[in-house]
Coordinates of all heavy atoms in Angstrom, one line a residue:
Chain B
I452 N 138.6 -10.8 56.2 CA 139.4 -12.2 56.0 C 138.5 -13.3 55.4 O 138.9 -14.0 54.6 CB 139.9 -12.5 57.4 CG1 141.0 -11.4 57.7 CG2 140.5 -13.9 57.4 CD1 141.3 -11.5 59.2
E453 N 137.2 -13.3 55.8 CA 136.2 -14.2 55.4 C 136.0 -14.3 53.9 O 135.8 -15.2 53.2 CB 134.9 -14.0 56.1 CG 134.0 -15.2 56.3 CD 132.8 -14.9 57.0 OE1 132.0 -13.9 56.3 OE2 132.5 -15.2 58.0
R454 N 136.3 -13.0 53.3 CA 136.1 -12.8 51.9 C 137.3 -12.8 51.0 O 137.3 -12.4 50.0 CB 135.3 -11.5 51.8 CG 133.9 -11.4 52.3 CD 133.2 -10.1 52.4 NE 133.1 -9.5 51.1 CZ 133.1 -8.2 50.8 NH1 133.1 -7.4 52.0 NH2 133.1 -7.6 49.7
T455 N 138.4 -13.4 51.5 CA 139.7 -13.3 50.8 C 139.4 -14.0 49.4 O 140.0 -13.5 48.4 CB 140.8 -14.1 51.7 OG1 140.8 -13.6 52.9 CG2 142.0 -14.1 51.0
R456 N 138.7 -15.1 49.5 CA 138.6 -15.8 48.3 C 137.8 -15.2 47.3 O 138.2 -15.0 46.1 CB 137.8 -17.2 48.7 CG 137.8 -18.2 47.5 CD 137.0 -19.4 48.1 NE 136.4 -20.0 46.9 CZ 137.0 -21.0 46.2 NH1 138.2 -21.4 46.5 NH2 136.3 -21.6 45.1
E457 N 136.8 -14.4 47.7 CA 135.9 -13.6 46.8 C 136.7 -12.5 46.3 O 136.6 -12.1 45.0 CB 134.7 -13.1 47.8 CG 133.8 -12.2 47.0 CD 132.9 -11.4 47.9 OE1 132.7 -11.9 49.1 OE2 132.5 -10.3 47.7
L458 N 137.6 -11.9 47.1 CA 138.3 -10.7 46.6 C 139.3 -11.2 45.6 O 139.6 -10.5 44.6 CB 139.1 -10.0 47.8 CG 138.1 -9.3 48.8 CD1 138.9 -8.7 49.9 CD2 137.3 -8.2 48.0
G459 N 139.9 -12.3 45.8 CA 140.8 -12.9 44.9 C 140.2 -13.1 43.6 O 140.7 -12.9 42.5
M460 N 138.9 -13.6 43.6 CA 138.2 -13.8 42.4 C 138.0 -12.5 41.6 O 138.3 -12.5 40.4 CB 136.9 -14.4 42.8 CG 135.8 -14.5 41.6 SD 136.2 -16.1 40.7 CE 135.5 -17.3 41.7
L461 N 137.6 -11.5 42.3 CA 137.5 -10.2 41.6 C 138.6 -9.7 41.0 O 138.6 -9.1 39.8 CB 136.9 -9.1 42.7 CG 135.5 -9.2 43.1 CD1 135.2 -8.3 44.3 CD2 134.5 -9.0 41.9
M462 N 139.8 -9.9 41.7 CA 141.1 -9.5 41.1 C 141.4 -10.4 39.9 O 142.0 -9.9 38.9 CB 142.1 -9.4 42.1 CG 141.9 -8.2 43.0 SD 143.0 -8.4 44.6 CE 144.5 -7.9 43.9
A463 N 141.0 -11.6 40.0 CA 141.4 -12.6 38.9 C 140.6 -12.2 37.7 O 141.2 -12.3 36.5 CB 141.1 -14.0 39.3
V464 N 139.4 -11.6 37.8 CA 138.6 -11.2 36.6 C 138.9 -9.7 36.2 O 138.2 -9.2 35.3 CB 137.1 -11.4 36.8 CG1 136.7 -12.9 37.0 CG2 136.6 -10.5 38.0
G465 N 139.9 -9.2 36.8 CA 140.4 -7.9 36.3 C 140.3 -6.6 37.2 O 140.6 -5.6 36.7
M466 N 139.9 -6.8 38.3 CA 139.7 -5.6 39.3 C 141.1 -5.2 39.8 O 141.8 -6.1 40.3 CB 138.7 -6.0 40.5 CG 138.1 -4.7 41.1 SD 137.0 -5.3 42.4 CE 135.9 -3.9 42.4
R467 N 141.3 -3.9 39.7 CA 142.6 -3.5 40.1 C 142.7 -3.3 41.6 O 141.7 -3.1 42.2 CB 142.9 -2.1 39.4 CG 143.5 -2.3 38.0 CD 143.7 -1.0 37.3 NE 142.5 -0.5 36.8 CZ 141.9 0.6 37.1 NH1 142.6 1.5 37.9 NH2 140.7 1.1 36.6
P468 N 143.9 -3.4 42.2 CA 144.0 -3.3 43.7 C 143.3 -2.1 44.3 O 142.7 -2.1 45.4 CB 145.5 -3.3 43.9 CG 146.1 -4.0 42.8 CD 145.2 -3.7 41.6
A469 N 143.5 -1.0 43.5 CA 143.0 0.4 44.0 C 141.4 0.3 44.1 O 140.8 0.8 45.1 CB 143.4 1.5 43.2
Q470 N 140.9 -0.4 43.1 CA 139.4 -0.5 43.2 C 138.9 -1.4 44.2 O 137.9 -1.2 44.8 CB 139.0 -1.2 41.8 CG 138.9 -0.2 40.7 CD 138.6 -0.8 39.4 OE1 139.1 -1.8 39.0 NE2 137.7 -0.1 38.6
V471 N 139.8 -2.4 44.6 CA 139.4 -3.4 45.6 C 139.4 -2.6 47.0 O 138.4 -2.7 47.8 CB 140.4 -4.6 45.8 CG1 140.1 -5.4 47.1 CG2 140.3 -5.5 44.5
V472 N 140.5 -1.7 47.2 CA 140.5 -0.9 48.3 C 139.3 0.0 48.5 O 138.6 0.1 49.5 CB 141.8 -0.1 48.6 CG1 141.8 0.9 49.7 CG2 143.0 -1.0 48.6
N473 N 139.0 0.6 47.4 CA 137.9 1.5 47.4 C 136.6 0.8 47.7 O 135.7 1.4 48.4 CB 137.7 2.1 45.9 CG 138.7 3.3 45.8 OD1 139.1 3.8 46.7 ND2 138.8 3.8 44.5

Side-chain angles (χ1 to χ4, degrees):
Chain B
I452 290 164
E453 210 180 59
R454 290 167 59 199
T455 305
R456 194 181 149 86
E457 178 196 331
L458 294 174
M460 175 76 83
L461 284 172
M462 286 164 79
V464 298
M466 203 172 204
R467 275 173 286 120
Q470 280 176 314
V471 172
V472 174
N473 278 350

